[in-house]
Amino acid sequence: GGLVIEPQIGLVPLGEDPESGLWEFWHLATGERPAPWDDRDGTGGWRIGEETGMVFVLVPGGRFRMGAQNSDPGAPNFDPAAERRERGVHEVELSAYFLSKYEMTQGQWKRLTGEEPSRHDATTEMGDHVVDLRHPVELVSWEESTELMRRHALALPTEAQWEYAARAGT
């Protein structure tokens, strides 16, 4: 779409997602390269193994209506569960940014920190299923996450970035 970005140290282009058309990148420091295009599972996702690194999506910038309101079902961003303390619907403009396509796995956290903080770690049995290092890391605080991201020249998404991506153009 005409966007030109500077090379990002540590990010390797993987190509465009076949469903969204958005560019995806592998973060070298977080683990091994995800499976190549030929091994895609048909859902626009990558096969994530215990040693796989993080996959980032380049989210194009744009304007959107952020927030929610519960007073007018015909107005934008109606949500009957919206609370009064929410700021309400307002226009936000964002520049392009990178966002992890998936939750950080226990394996990625362990490689970056040397720690396994999850309650449901790689030995937990849940019925006939055993948790492994592909499962999302849990029991980490915002402060711990922010510090880890900072050490690797990354950042947690802002509320606006997260909402923009979650709305996916809707």
Side-chain angles (χ1 to χ4, degrees):
L3 176 66
V4 177
I5 61 171
E6 296 291 322
Q8 304 292 304
I9 303 299
L11 288 181
V12 176
L14 294 169
E16 289 182 64
D17 177 278
E19 290 186 11
S20 70
L22 299 178
W23 274 85
E24 297 178 337
F25 298 78
W26 160 45
H27 191 267
L28 288 165
T30 59
E32 295 176 0
R33 183 185 179 107
W37 289 111
D38 293 350
D39 292 344
R40 304 251 352 216
D41 62 12
T43 63
W46 295 94
R47 293 177 198 246
I48 302 299
E50 290 190 349
E51 301 299 320
T52 304
M54 294 177 76
V55 175
F56 284 88
V57 176
L58 178 58
V59 179
R63 296 182 75 88
F64 78 109
R65 289 186 176 111
M66 181 174 171
Q69 54 86 17
N70 63 7
S71 59
D72 183 355
N77 297 16
F78 174 74
D79 180 351
E83 297 179 12
R84 294 184 73 174
R85 64 179 174 78
E86 294 186 55
R87 182 171 172 204
V89 179
H90 56 285
E91 220 29 51
V92 174
E93 184 167 359
L94 295 171
S95 298
Y97 60 97
F98 291 98
L99 183 69
S100 182
K101 185 169 185 165
Y102 309 105
E103 298 92 344
M104 179 176 271
T105 67
Q106 292 184 28
Q108 291 160 352
W109 185 274
K110 184 177 178 180
R111 279 190 295 283
L112 294 175
T113 67
E115 300 172 0
E116 293 183 71
S118 296
R119 185 175 111 203
H120 301 291
D121 65 10
T123 61
T124 304
E125 293 184 26
M126 301 179 93
D128 61 351
H129 180 76
V130 178
V131 174
D132 62 29
L133 294 175
R134 295 175 299 166
H135 286 77
V137 68
E138 27 124 346
L139 294 182
V140 294
S141 70
W142 180 87
E143 290 85 2
E144 291 169 307
S145 300
T146 298
E147 176 58 24
L148 176 62
M149 296 297 99
R150 186 194 61 73
R151 285 196 319 256
H152 294 279
L154 299 170
L156 294 175
T158 65
E159 182 180 4
Q161 289 171 333
W162 184 91
E163 185 170 335
Y164 180 61
R167 288 186 180 281
T170 64

